[in-house]
Amino acid sequence: MAWQSLGVVRALICGAGIAALFATGAAAEEFIAFKIDNNESIANSLTGKPGDPARGREVAINRKQGNCLACHKLPIPEQPFHGEIGPDLSMIGDTYSAGELRLRVVNPKIVNPDTFMPAFYRPYGLHRVMKNFQGKTILTAQQVEDVVAYLTTLK
Amino acid sequence: MRRTVLAAVAASGLIVMLAGTALTEESNWGAYQVNDKRSGYTYAAAETRAIQDDDFENPAMLWVDTGGELWNTVEGEAGKACASCHEDAAETMAEVGATYPVYYEPRGKLINIEQRINLCRTENMKAKAWKWESRELLSMTAFVRNQARGKPVAVKIDGPAAPFYEKGKEFYNQRRGQLDMACKSCHEDNAGNMIRANLLSQGQSNGFPTYRLKWQKVGSLHRRFRGCNKQVRATPYKAGSDEYVNLELFLANRGQGLPVETPAVRN
């Protein structure tokens, strides 16, 4: 299979999880498949490397990346506007494990199909995506890991 | 030019705001609220509402005035102005702004005000159609719709319009773009919520064409649709496309009963 030679796949797909690999175009990085446990958690780092919480905080602020502040309150006092659509994440590291947080960032629609929150690592099942975003995920695998690392510090 | 404004009816709402009370369901927004339908006016900042309330402050009135001049301007091979056939717009155009888009038999589909104006230009005046978002088309659309200011939106969605209404509804509820959001996600499920620095309104269409402070000019409803599509990273449709005209009918009916506010002022 193609993924073996690419050497980017760290986990096999199984169960009710994701069932395809995506060629994501010249500029985009290769989509990394992952394993979902019981629709509850993605235990392993997508990149095989730990994330960087300081970079994750930046991703959460950046309007072109996570923009988590659009909908969530976070302990980021220097930013004036925090959204009020999703729950306050100030203590979210107490509620969920890293794996549960990873699943919620990668694709919260697995937990709640009707959620307003975008799936940050799911480049398929979408309608009329603009050309320059087609086949691409909102965050890179490393950015997902950085955000997850940041969330785990929120206790 | 009529200079009546809707300000008086919303006076009580305004006083509440001046007293520093946050926007609440209880606020009395007068004509700007009909049951649970609320104009974008009721979500706008007090300063923005004040600009809309005063026709001499409202920069969009320049477009309305230009439209009034064009109304009387002879153009095209037929040697006619709009006024040659329609005479006093205050009378002959009194309902158009509240009742469009409509089903148009010769084309077998819906047309909106912009398209009706251009039909008159090409077929009745033998003049060139105005380009979408041109100063002329925006001005004439604002002028025509302004004649119905204060009238409750009252579109027809039955009969031959019904299938087009259904298509508009489907569009409204369909998630799209990389962010995977429908119009509904923001303007129905989250109206009244802050999305970062923006307060989400119900996304009503009763004030279009609208002067946007961000644009520093008047813009069409379809320009707004394109912007709302692009911000979820969805490929927009062309202004004047059937998809957007169908959506326009759905939106108008969603705000049925709200007063025509054209030209509104928004952030």
Side-chain angles (χ1 to χ4, degrees):
Chain A
M1 275 168 75
W3 55 264
Q4 283 173 319
S5 53
L6 289 165
V8 288
V9 176
R10 310 286 167 179
L12 258 176
I13 311 140
C14 79
I18 298 4
L21 254 178
F22 291 84
T24 50
E29 60 165 32
E30 203 70 32
F31 181 75
I32 300 171
F34 47 82
K35 176 172 162 287
I36 300 167
D37 303 315
N38 297 327
N39 282 351
E40 277 166 13
S41 167
I42 300 170
N44 296 326
S45 162
L46 299 178
T47 59
K49 282 181 278 182
D52 173 348
R55 278 209 305 261
R57 192 176 186 274
E58 291 307 312
V59 171
I61 295 170
N62 191 315
R63 285 179 159 81
K64 295 216 155 100
Q65 296 177 5
N67 197 15
C68 316
L69 284 179
C71 298
H72 294 287
K73 196 168 176 320
L74 284 160
I76 303 181
E78 76 275 17
Q79 286 291 325
F81 299 107
H82 295 220
E84 51 186 29
I85 287 168
D88 185 340
L89 299 180
S90 302
M91 303 290 282
I92 201 69
D94 272 341
T95 314
Y96 295 118
S97 67
E100 288 166 335
L101 290 168
R102 187 175 291 108
L103 174 69
R104 281 164 177 79
V105 176
V106 163
N107 185 2
K109 284 152 210 212
I110 293 169
V111 183
N112 172 12
D114 295 326
T115 188
F116 185 43
M117 179 164 154
F120 286 91
Y121 201 74
R122 189 195 66 167
Y124 51 86
L126 302 167
H127 177 62
R128 281 185 77 83
V129 176
M130 266 180 166
K131 207 162 178 210
N132 39 342
F133 295 105
Q134 273 170 21
K136 296 179 189 170
T137 52
I138 303 172
L139 295 180
T140 65
Q142 192 54 51
Q143 287 168 336
V144 170
E145 290 310 321
D146 293 343
V147 168
V148 169
Y150 168 60
L151 295 178
T152 58
T153 68
L154 304 180
K155 298 187 182 192
Chain B
M1 188 73 41
R2 285 177 308 154
R3 296 283 185 187
T4 49
V5 285
L6 285 164
V9 280
S12 47
L14 207 61
I15 288 158
V16 171
M17 285 309 293
L18 291 173
T21 313
L23 293 174
T24 60
E25 299 295 327
E26 291 79 47
S27 294
N28 177 7
W29 289 109
Y32 294 100
Q33 172 162 17
V34 177
N35 303 319
D36 55 353
K37 294 168 187 176
R38 279 171 55 182
S39 157
Y41 180 93
T42 72
Y43 295 88
E47 313 84 74
T48 311
R49 296 198 307 271
I51 301 173
Q52 179 176 324
D53 289 343
D54 182 348
D55 275 356
F56 295 97
E57 286 275 318
N58 184 344
M61 288 310 291
L62 292 174
W63 276 258
V64 174
D65 291 347
T66 302
E69 285 158 22
L70 290 169
W71 183 260
N72 295 306
T73 307
V74 173
E75 261 194 77
E77 286 166 26
K80 302 226 189 261
C82 315
S84 319
C85 298
H86 296 296
E87 301 181 349
D88 182 6
E91 266 174 47
T92 59
M93 296 290 133
E95 306 296 333
V96 172
T99 52
Y100 269 62
V102 295
Y103 179 75
Y104 184 62
E105 186 72 50
R107 297 258 164 113
K109 60 183 189 178
L110 301 180
I111 55 166
N112 67 6
I113 297 177
E114 284 92 335
Q115 290 165 333
R116 177 65 253 187
I117 291 168
N118 270 336
L119 274 173
C120 276
R121 283 188 57 86
T122 53
E123 291 176 11
N124 293 322
M125 297 168 72
K126 308 287 174 222
K128 263 190 160 162
W130 280 319
K131 285 213 176 71
W132 204 277
E133 227 58 33
S134 64
R135 172 100 189 173
E136 289 84 1
L137 188 55
L138 283 170
S139 296
M140 185 57 78
T141 308
F143 172 76
V144 168
R145 206 161 186 222
N146 181 252
Q147 307 306 313
R149 186 157 65 169
K151 291 237 166 70
V153 172
V155 288
K156 281 184 77 152
I157 60 164
D158 55 357
F164 302 97
Y165 170 82
E166 287 304 323
K167 283 185 193 161
K169 181 178 181 177
E170 204 177 298
F171 191 113
Y172 193 81
N173 293 320
Q174 161 123 53
R175 287 177 181 261
R176 62 191 67 238
Q178 194 192 34
L179 300 196
D180 199 24
M181 291 173 184
C183 315
K184 172 183 181 293
S185 315
C186 283
H187 294 299
E188 215 162 288
D189 302 346
N190 283 294
N193 286 332
M194 293 296 290
I195 185 158
R196 211 150 180 175
N198 293 308
L199 177 62
L200 285 169
S201 78
Q202 294 180 357
Q204 298 287 2
S205 57
N206 56 316
F208 281 84
T210 286
Y211 187 90
R212 259 194 101 187
L213 301 170
K214 185 182 154 191
W215 293 335
Q216 290 285 302
K217 69 188 291 263
V218 164
S220 71
L221 181 60
H222 291 199
R223 180 172 178 192
R224 181 81 242 196
F225 289 168
R226 286 175 61 82
C228 279
N229 277 169
K230 286 192 268 188
Q231 69 178 341
V232 298
R233 299 179 177 173
T235 311
Y237 289 85
K238 286 212 173 73
S241 61
D242 293 344
E243 286 83 358
Y244 279 174
V245 178
N246 296 339
L247 179 61
E248 189 176 339
L249 180 64
F250 174 77
L251 270 199
N253 182 69
R254 192 170 162 262
Q256 193 91 322
L258 287 175
V260 173
E261 261 172 52
T262 310
V265 179
R266 299 285 186 267
N267 214 1

